[in-house]
Amino acid sequence: MPSISSFPHNSRSVSSTVEALDFDANRKRPGSGSTAARDEDQDSSRGLLDENESLLSDVVDGIIERDRRRMGREVKKWVSYASAILSCLCAGSVTAFSLYGHLLQSQLGYNQYQVNAISISAELSMYLPVPIFGYLVDRYSPRPAALMSAVLFALGYFLAAFSYKSGPAEEGGWPFGTMVVAFVGIGTGTSCMYLAAVTSCVKNFGNSRYSGVALAMPIACFGLSGVWQSQVGSKLLWERLPDGTRDVDVFLYFIFLGVTLTVVGLIGAVAQVVVNQDELIDDAVEDLQRSGLLEDSPFFRRDVLYDANGRSYGTQTPTEAEPEDLSASMLKSREEERLKRNWLLNGETRRFLSDHTMWFLALGFFLVTGPVETYVNNVGTMIPTLYPPPLRVSPRNKTNVHVSLLAITSTFARLAAGISSDILSPSPSPPGQYRAQTPSTSQILQDPFETHARKRKCSVSRLTLLVATAGLLAIALLFQLALVPERPESFPVVTALVGLVNGAAFALIPLLVSAVWGVENFGTNWGILATMPAIGATIWSALYSAGYQAGVKEGDHLCFGPQCWRGPVGGMLGATIVAASSWAWVGWGRGGWWSRGVVV
């Protein structure tokens, strides 16, 4: 073993390195060294401290800026939600049609076909354009749709008001077609305002823990809008009719609605936004990448995606090696994001339409909402059939009572459906399983993830609640056929049950759409299903009008007796049973959600 003296611990001629054993010999003691060296050390220490302080300041500033942006997003999200609640609280004005539908008969001389033609025009214009508006909202923003609603409501209600004030066409009033055109504008405005509000809520809160409540609130407010508007019309904006009775002043009521809804639409055009929409798209793309569905996607084969100059994104030729202009780079990035968003949303639409369970869900929606919408629009003409002259309508069967009852029960059902779906429905684990849209997709997604639900003491799926809704409608129609003709005072029971069905169906179907097919393309997907009530209401309203007119005696334009509606109501009962079977097939039939591992 070499001795200690053999180490070059004190030989500076050999090396300038300070070894461990000669540290004390080379250590600088206090007072030693030049003043310049000490100043240099102090300057170096001060410079290092300044750098540390600068780095810490940058980190703190970054955190503050991040929190400020996060707070700004939260403020925008909740302001948008408040605006959506306000919009839905006013948008359902057309649901109070029964409040003045009978006055169109008595004051303007319209027959039942004409009154139903007006309500059907509003229904069709409210539901049929929804896929178009949903497509625009998904790809742009809710703001243009909200602005369009303000314009349409103003034109529609002001035109309807002055058309009503002009009197019957036989006495020089405006033609019947004017009122139809007015309600086309009203229905389209309702579609724009409602879709903009609901879509902004779904996209901002669809992935939150309480998404059911977040979506149920605006949907419930839509039903509640008919309550306060009908009360304003009957309690504040009334007039005395020639026969001495007091009823709503339709002209003032239409003016009131036109002004109110125009202001609310303008507020929505400013406040309603979708926060972090790009993140929703990116998350959806990641889910598809994880599922393996993007292996053959042209979008992610970068050599086939070109920019505006014909150059391929993601590739770089030798002449492109130099730095690009910043603005050109930003434009390319924005164009690529736009193409990615459109590619994803178009693919989501194709998968939605190719899923056979969607069509069974739509069939049940058509068979339930058609009778419900027909009842809502025509309860004002059903009630007088039970009170032939000289009898007068019972106070508990007044039209405004039924309109308010429909709105209250519908609102309660929407809230109850949203809350119960959050509390009782099984929750998926992991969340990505909701993308099981087709049998092939389901198989792919079940390979990387084990689809199962968190166990709860009491678990009721949203689809089970939906099937129960159809059963409740069957009970209501049976009650109307069996008991109401003998006991007209029991009519409000039927109205209450129909209101519950109306609210539950319109709350559960959007929840199922967002849960099964995602929130990224919700506006388009829900818009496609939302056409079903329009088609159903058109068919069943025509059947009801035929049955009503068949019971009208010669020389009169009013029908009296239960035969005025017994036939159509019997047909509605049969349709409801078919709807319940269709919805049951969606969940438990061949290739249904349960066999594919979709938990709702």
Side-chain angles (χ1 to χ4, degrees), residues 246-290:
R246 196 177 74 172
D247 215 325
V248 60
D249 187 332
V250 179
F251 173 75
L252 290 180
Y253 185 64
F254 284 168
I255 294 294
F256 163 74
L257 291 177
V259 173
T260 301
L261 291 166
T262 301
V263 173
V264 171
L266 294 176
I267 294 174
V270 175
Q272 290 177 17
V273 295
V274 176
V275 181
N276 296 334
Q277 184 167 0
D278 291 338
E279 292 183 8
L280 291 175
I281 299 298
D282 292 338
D283 290 343
V285 171
E286 288 178 5
D287 288 342
L288 292 174
Q289 285 177 318
R290 194 163 53 241

Side-chain angles (χ1 to χ4, degrees), residues 313-327:
Y313 288 137
T315 60
Q316 188 178 44
T317 62
T319 58
E320 295 175 325
E322 64 273 6
E324 288 188 286
D325 179 72
L326 181 60
S327 60

Side-chain angles (χ1 to χ4, degrees), residues 166 228 517 567 587:
S166 66
W228 73 267
W517 292 283

Side-chain angles (χ1 to χ4, degrees), residues 361 364 368 460-475 501 504-505 508-509 512 576-588 593-594:
L361 185 68
V368 164
V460 181
S461 72
R462 295 181 177 97
L463 189 58
T464 302
L465 295 175
L466 190 63
V467 174
T469 298
L472 191 63
L473 179 59
I475 294 174
V501 172
L508 290 170
I509 293 291
L512 288 170
T576 303
I577 296 174
V578 176
S581 303
S582 177
W583 283 339
W585 183 264
V586 171
W588 298 279
W593 291 347
W594 262 246

Side-chain angles (χ1 to χ4, degrees), residues 14-25:
V14 177
S15 173
S16 62
T17 303
V18 179
E19 300 293 341
L21 295 178
D22 64 354
F23 173 76
D24 289 337

